[in-house]
mmCIF file of all heavy atoms in Angstrom:
data_model
loop_
_atom_site.group_PDB
_atom_site.id
_atom_site.type_symbol
_atom_site.label_atom_id
_atom_site.label_comp_id
_atom_site.label_asym_id
_atom_site.label_seq_id
_atom_site.Cartn_x
_atom_site.Cartn_y
_atom_site.Cartn_z
ATOM 1 N N ALA A 1 43.567 -80.960 16.080
ATOM 2 C CA ALA A 1 44.174 -81.957 15.199
ATOM 3 C C ALA A 1 43.705 -83.336 15.640
ATOM 4 O O ALA A 1 43.733 -83.663 16.824
ATOM 5 C CB ALA A 1 45.692 -81.861 15.267
ATOM 6 N N SER A 2 43.264 -84.147 14.689
ATOM 7 C CA SER A 2 42.697 -85.453 15.029
ATOM 8 C C SER A 2 43.720 -86.379 15.677
ATOM 9 O O SER A 2 43.365 -87.230 16.478
ATOM 10 C CB SER A 2 42.083 -86.107 13.798
ATOM 11 O OG SER A 2 43.071 -86.289 12.811
ATOM 12 N N GLN A 3 45.004 -86.244 15.350
ATOM 13 C CA GLN A 3 46.000 -87.134 15.935
ATOM 14 C C GLN A 3 46.328 -86.756 17.380
ATOM 15 O O GLN A 3 46.893 -87.549 18.109
ATOM 16 C CB GLN A 3 47.273 -87.200 15.087
ATOM 17 C CG GLN A 3 47.965 -85.877 14.873
ATOM 18 C CD GLN A 3 47.468 -85.138 13.642
ATOM 19 O OE1 GLN A 3 46.375 -85.389 13.160
ATOM 20 N NE2 GLN A 3 48.273 -84.227 13.145
ATOM 21 N N THR A 4 45.973 -85.544 17.823
ATOM 22 C CA THR A 4 46.259 -85.157 19.207
ATOM 23 C C THR A 4 45.168 -85.612 20.160
ATOM 24 O O THR A 4 45.386 -85.654 21.357
ATOM 25 C CB THR A 4 46.410 -83.629 19.329
ATOM 26 O OG1 THR A 4 45.175 -83.011 18.957
ATOM 27 C CG2 THR A 4 47.542 -83.118 18.483
ATOM 28 N N LEU A 5 44.014 -85.945 19.653
ATOM 29 C CA LEU A 5 42.891 -86.344 20.491
ATOM 30 C C LEU A 5 42.682 -87.850 20.401
ATOM 31 O O LEU A 5 42.383 -88.373 19.330
ATOM 32 C CB LEU A 5 41.615 -85.619 20.046
ATOM 33 C CG LEU A 5 40.329 -85.990 20.751
ATOM 34 C CD1 LEU A 5 40.431 -85.712 22.240
ATOM 35 C CD2 LEU A 5 39.178 -85.239 20.158
ATOM 36 N N GLN A 6 42.881 -88.529 21.524
ATOM 37 C CA GLN A 6 42.652 -89.973 21.573
ATOM 38 C C GLN A 6 41.883 -90.313 22.834
ATOM 39 O O GLN A 6 42.215 -89.838 23.925
ATOM 40 C CB GLN A 6 43.967 -90.741 21.583
ATOM 41 C CG GLN A 6 44.678 -90.778 20.271
ATOM 42 C CD GLN A 6 45.810 -91.797 20.295
ATOM 43 O OE1 GLN A 6 46.438 -92.037 21.323
ATOM 44 N NE2 GLN A 6 46.066 -92.393 19.159
ATOM 45 N N THR A 7 40.864 -91.141 22.688
ATOM 46 C CA THR A 7 40.164 -91.650 23.859
ATOM 47 C C THR A 7 41.027 -92.736 24.491
ATOM 48 O O THR A 7 41.968 -93.233 23.879
ATOM 49 C CB THR A 7 38.789 -92.225 23.462
ATOM 50 O OG1 THR A 7 38.991 -93.306 22.558
ATOM 51 C CG2 THR A 7 37.909 -91.166 22.826
ATOM 52 N N ALA A 8 40.692 -93.118 25.720
ATOM 53 C CA ALA A 8 41.482 -94.129 26.416
ATOM 54 C C ALA A 8 41.411 -95.474 25.704
ATOM 55 O O ALA A 8 42.427 -96.166 25.564
ATOM 56 C CB ALA A 8 41.008 -94.270 27.861
ATOM 57 N N CYS A 9 40.238 -95.846 25.207
ATOM 58 C CA CYS A 9 40.110 -97.129 24.509
ATOM 59 C C CYS A 9 40.901 -97.118 23.205
ATOM 60 O O CYS A 9 41.508 -98.111 22.822
ATOM 61 C CB CYS A 9 38.653 -97.480 24.269
ATOM 62 S SG CYS A 9 37.732 -96.259 23.324
ATOM 63 N N GLN A 10 40.923 -95.982 22.522
ATOM 64 C CA GLN A 10 41.682 -95.852 21.285
ATOM 65 C C GLN A 10 43.176 -95.921 21.564
ATOM 66 O O GLN A 10 43.928 -96.548 20.825
ATOM 67 C CB GLN A 10 41.334 -94.523 20.615
ATOM 68 C CG GLN A 10 42.044 -94.267 19.309
ATOM 69 C CD GLN A 10 41.687 -92.907 18.735
ATOM 70 O OE1 GLN A 10 40.990 -92.112 19.353
ATOM 71 N NE2 GLN A 10 42.174 -92.642 17.550
ATOM 72 N N GLN A 11 43.600 -95.304 22.639
ATOM 73 C CA GLN A 11 45.020 -95.282 22.991
ATOM 74 C C GLN A 11 45.539 -96.665 23.357
ATOM 75 O O GLN A 11 46.659 -97.025 23.035
ATOM 76 C CB GLN A 11 45.238 -94.326 24.162
ATOM 77 C CG GLN A 11 46.660 -94.215 24.616
ATOM 78 C CD GLN A 11 46.780 -93.264 25.800
ATOM 79 O OE1 GLN A 11 45.853 -92.526 26.116
ATOM 80 N NE2 GLN A 11 47.913 -93.293 26.457
ATOM 81 N N THR A 12 44.711 -97.472 24.007
ATOM 82 C CA THR A 12 45.166 -98.774 24.486
ATOM 83 C C THR A 12 44.887 -99.925 23.535
ATOM 84 O O THR A 12 45.365 -101.029 23.775
ATOM 85 C CB THR A 12 44.530 -99.106 25.847
ATOM 86 O OG1 THR A 12 43.109 -99.106 25.700
ATOM 87 C CG2 THR A 12 44.930 -98.117 26.901
ATOM 88 N N CYS A 13 44.141 -99.692 22.468
ATOM 89 C CA CYS A 13 43.811 -100.770 21.533
ATOM 90 C C CYS A 13 45.056 -101.194 20.760
ATOM 91 O O CYS A 13 45.618 -100.403 20.006
ATOM 92 C CB CYS A 13 42.720 -100.318 20.565
ATOM 93 S SG CYS A 13 42.233 -101.609 19.410
ATOM 94 N N PRO A 14 45.508 -102.449 20.912
ATOM 95 C CA PRO A 14 46.740 -102.873 20.241
ATOM 96 C C PRO A 14 46.612 -102.979 18.725
ATOM 97 O O PRO A 14 47.598 -102.874 18.014
ATOM 98 C CB PRO A 14 47.031 -104.236 20.870
ATOM 99 C CG PRO A 14 45.722 -104.723 21.345
ATOM 100 C CD PRO A 14 44.920 -103.503 21.719
ATOM 101 N N THR A 15 45.409 -103.149 18.214
ATOM 102 C CA THR A 15 45.227 -103.299 16.771
ATOM 103 C C THR A 15 44.833 -101.992 16.085
ATOM 104 O O THR A 15 44.618 -101.978 14.888
ATOM 105 C CB THR A 15 44.143 -104.347 16.473
ATOM 106 O OG1 THR A 15 42.904 -103.892 17.036
ATOM 107 C CG2 THR A 15 44.516 -105.694 17.033
ATOM 108 N N GLN A 16 44.706 -100.922 16.848
ATOM 109 C CA GLN A 16 44.279 -99.614 16.344
ATOM 110 C C GLN A 16 42.955 -99.714 15.588
ATOM 111 O O GLN A 16 42.761 -99.098 14.548
ATOM 112 C CB GLN A 16 45.370 -98.988 15.490
ATOM 113 C CG GLN A 16 46.644 -98.743 16.261
ATOM 114 C CD GLN A 16 47.740 -98.172 15.398
ATOM 115 O OE1 GLN A 16 47.649 -98.134 14.183
ATOM 116 N NE2 GLN A 16 48.792 -97.715 16.042
ATOM 117 N N ALA A 17 42.049 -100.502 16.138
ATOM 118 C CA ALA A 17 40.750 -100.708 15.510
ATOM 119 C C ALA A 17 39.755 -99.604 15.848
ATOM 120 O O ALA A 17 38.711 -99.501 15.203
ATOM 121 C CB ALA A 17 40.169 -102.057 15.937
ATOM 122 N N ILE A 18 40.073 -98.775 16.827
ATOM 123 C CA ILE A 18 39.165 -97.715 17.254
ATOM 124 C C ILE A 18 39.651 -96.387 16.679
ATOM 125 O O ILE A 18 40.800 -96.009 16.861
ATOM 126 C CB ILE A 18 39.093 -97.652 18.788
ATOM 127 C CG1 ILE A 18 38.596 -98.992 19.335
ATOM 128 C CG2 ILE A 18 38.212 -96.503 19.240
ATOM 129 C CD1 ILE A 18 38.716 -99.127 20.824
ATOM 130 N N VAL A 19 38.755 -95.698 15.979
ATOM 131 C CA VAL A 19 39.074 -94.411 15.366
ATOM 132 C C VAL A 19 38.103 -93.382 15.920
ATOM 133 O O VAL A 19 36.901 -93.630 16.001
ATOM 134 C CB VAL A 19 38.962 -94.476 13.823
ATOM 135 C CG1 VAL A 19 39.295 -93.141 13.197
ATOM 136 C CG2 VAL A 19 39.856 -95.568 13.277
ATOM 137 N N PHE A 20 38.624 -92.241 16.292
ATOM 138 C CA PHE A 20 37.815 -91.183 16.872
ATOM 139 C C PHE A 20 38.172 -89.887 16.157
ATOM 140 O O PHE A 20 39.349 -89.625 15.916
ATOM 141 C CB PHE A 20 38.138 -91.064 18.368
ATOM 142 C CG PHE A 20 37.273 -90.110 19.112
ATOM 143 C CD1 PHE A 20 36.020 -90.477 19.553
ATOM 144 C CD2 PHE A 20 37.714 -88.826 19.382
ATOM 145 C CE1 PHE A 20 35.221 -89.607 20.251
ATOM 146 C CE2 PHE A 20 36.924 -87.942 20.082
ATOM 147 C CZ PHE A 20 35.676 -88.328 20.509
ATOM 148 N N GLY A 21 37.195 -89.096 15.775
ATOM 149 C CA GLY A 21 37.520 -87.863 15.084
ATOM 150 C C GLY A 21 36.313 -87.027 14.731
ATOM 151 O O GLY A 21 35.198 -87.278 15.177
ATOM 152 N N ASP A 22 36.547 -86.033 13.889
ATOM 153 C CA ASP A 22 35.550 -85.060 13.478
ATOM 154 C C ASP A 22 34.971 -85.471 12.127
ATOM 155 O O ASP A 22 35.677 -85.470 11.115
ATOM 156 C CB ASP A 22 36.206 -83.683 13.395
ATOM 157 C CG ASP A 22 35.213 -82.572 13.149
ATOM 158 O OD1 ASP A 22 34.006 -82.858 12.982
ATOM 159 O OD2 ASP A 22 35.640 -81.410 13.131
ATOM 160 N N LEU A 23 33.689 -85.811 12.102
ATOM 161 C CA LEU A 23 33.042 -86.235 10.856
ATOM 162 C C LEU A 23 32.871 -85.097 9.861
ATOM 163 O O LEU A 23 32.750 -85.328 8.665
ATOM 164 C CB LEU A 23 31.669 -86.830 11.147
ATOM 165 C CG LEU A 23 31.641 -88.259 11.645
ATOM 166 C CD1 LEU A 23 30.227 -88.651 12.018
ATOM 167 C CD2 LEU A 23 32.176 -89.190 10.600
ATOM 168 N N SER A 24 32.861 -83.862 10.337
ATOM 169 C CA SER A 24 32.625 -82.740 9.433
ATOM 170 C C SER A 24 33.852 -82.400 8.593
ATOM 171 O O SER A 24 33.741 -81.652 7.625
ATOM 172 C CB SER A 24 32.198 -81.506 10.229
ATOM 173 O OG SER A 24 33.228 -81.078 11.089
ATOM 174 N N ARG A 25 35.001 -82.942 8.939
ATOM 175 C CA ARG A 25 36.223 -82.679 8.169
ATOM 176 C C ARG A 25 36.397 -83.766 7.116
ATOM 177 O O ARG A 25 36.593 -84.931 7.430
ATOM 178 C CB ARG A 25 37.427 -82.632 9.091
ATOM 179 C CG ARG A 25 37.354 -81.444 10.044
ATOM 180 C CD ARG A 25 38.498 -81.381 10.972
ATOM 181 N NE ARG A 25 39.763 -81.350 10.245
ATOM 182 C CZ ARG A 25 40.931 -81.458 10.836
ATOM 183 N NH1 ARG A 25 41.011 -81.600 12.129
ATOM 184 N NH2 ARG A 25 42.041 -81.419 10.124
ATOM 185 N N ALA A 26 36.340 -83.377 5.855
ATOM 186 C CA ALA A 26 36.426 -84.333 4.748
ATOM 187 C C ALA A 26 37.815 -84.939 4.603
ATOM 188 O O ALA A 26 37.970 -85.997 3.999
ATOM 189 C CB ALA A 26 36.014 -83.668 3.444
ATOM 190 N N ASP A 27 38.841 -84.298 5.170
ATOM 191 C CA ASP A 27 40.206 -84.804 5.038
ATOM 192 C C ASP A 27 40.563 -85.842 6.092
ATOM 193 O O ASP A 27 41.651 -86.394 6.078
ATOM 194 C CB ASP A 27 41.211 -83.650 5.082
ATOM 195 C CG ASP A 27 41.178 -82.895 6.405
ATOM 196 O OD1 ASP A 27 40.163 -82.987 7.130
ATOM 197 O OD2 ASP A 27 42.177 -82.205 6.699
ATOM 198 N N SER A 28 39.646 -86.131 7.001
ATOM 199 C CA SER A 28 39.955 -87.092 8.062
ATOM 200 C C SER A 28 39.740 -88.524 7.585
ATOM 201 O O SER A 28 38.908 -88.794 6.715
ATOM 202 C CB SER A 28 39.081 -86.827 9.296
ATOM 203 O OG SER A 28 37.742 -87.173 9.036
ATOM 204 N N GLY A 29 40.490 -89.445 8.148
ATOM 205 C CA GLY A 29 40.331 -90.859 7.821
ATOM 206 C C GLY A 29 38.982 -91.384 8.251
ATOM 207 O O GLY A 29 38.431 -92.306 7.651
ATOM 208 N N LEU A 30 38.428 -90.792 9.290
ATOM 209 C CA LEU A 30 37.123 -91.204 9.782
ATOM 210 C C LEU A 30 36.044 -90.932 8.731
ATOM 211 O O LEU A 30 35.175 -91.763 8.513
ATOM 212 C CB LEU A 30 36.804 -90.460 11.082
ATOM 213 C CG LEU A 30 35.496 -90.792 11.750
ATOM 214 C CD1 LEU A 30 35.511 -92.238 12.222
ATOM 215 C CD2 LEU A 30 35.248 -89.868 12.913
ATOM 216 N N HIS A 31 36.112 -89.803 8.074
ATOM 217 C CA HIS A 31 35.142 -89.459 7.037
ATOM 218 C C HIS A 31 35.184 -90.490 5.907
ATOM 219 O O HIS A 31 34.150 -90.932 5.407
ATOM 220 C CB HIS A 31 35.425 -88.051 6.501
ATOM 221 C CG HIS A 31 34.440 -87.581 5.497
ATOM 222 N ND1 HIS A 31 33.191 -87.118 5.851
ATOM 223 C CD2 HIS A 31 34.495 -87.518 4.142
ATOM 224 C CE1 HIS A 31 32.527 -86.792 4.763
ATOM 225 N NE2 HIS A 31 33.294 -87.023 3.716
ATOM 226 N N TYR A 32 36.382 -90.902 5.519
ATOM 227 C CA TYR A 32 36.536 -91.907 4.463
ATOM 228 C C TYR A 32 35.931 -93.244 4.900
ATOM 229 O O TYR A 32 35.231 -93.902 4.125
ATOM 230 C CB TYR A 32 38.022 -92.086 4.127
ATOM 231 C CG TYR A 32 38.293 -93.291 3.268
ATOM 232 C CD1 TYR A 32 37.982 -93.287 1.910
ATOM 233 C CD2 TYR A 32 38.841 -94.446 3.818
ATOM 234 C CE1 TYR A 32 38.211 -94.397 1.123
ATOM 235 C CE2 TYR A 32 39.073 -95.560 3.042
ATOM 236 C CZ TYR A 32 38.761 -95.535 1.694
ATOM 237 O OH TYR A 32 38.980 -96.641 0.942
ATOM 238 N N GLN A 33 36.188 -93.645 6.141
ATOM 239 C CA GLN A 33 35.672 -94.929 6.613
ATOM 240 C C GLN A 33 34.155 -94.944 6.696
ATOM 241 O O GLN A 33 33.535 -95.976 6.477
ATOM 242 C CB GLN A 33 36.276 -95.266 7.973
ATOM 243 C CG GLN A 33 37.730 -95.614 7.883
ATOM 244 C CD GLN A 33 38.335 -95.914 9.237
ATOM 245 O OE1 GLN A 33 37.735 -95.661 10.274
ATOM 246 N NE2 GLN A 33 39.539 -96.452 9.238
ATOM 247 N N ARG A 34 33.547 -93.819 6.996
ATOM 248 C CA ARG A 34 32.083 -93.757 7.064
ATOM 249 C C ARG A 34 31.446 -93.875 5.686
ATOM 250 O O ARG A 34 30.272 -94.214 5.567
ATOM 251 C CB ARG A 34 31.626 -92.452 7.718
ATOM 252 C CG ARG A 34 31.918 -92.307 9.183
ATOM 253 C CD ARG A 34 31.038 -93.159 10.050
ATOM 254 N NE ARG A 34 29.671 -92.782 10.074
ATOM 255 C CZ ARG A 34 29.036 -92.240 11.088
ATOM 256 N NH1 ARG A 34 29.680 -91.974 12.187
ATOM 257 N NH2 ARG A 34 27.762 -91.972 11.018
#
């Protein structure tokens, strides 16, 4: 699950500007942003 996996920089970013995830999943927010 994309919400269970967070890198340290993503976890500590106060503005939530860092997104990490699986590009092959079309339902992820990362896919939309790309």
Side-chain angles (χ1 to χ4, degrees):
S2 60
Q3 59 271 21
T4 62
L5 176 60
Q6 286 192 328
T7 61
C9 58
Q10 181 182 6
Q11 180 181 347
T12 59
C13 181
T15 62
Q16 299 178 349
I18 300 170
V19 180
F20 186 81
D22 187 357
L23 281 174
S24 64
R25 294 179 56 189
D27 62 340
S28 70
L30 181 65
H31 183 78
Y32 168 75
Q33 289 179 348
R34 291 287 292 250

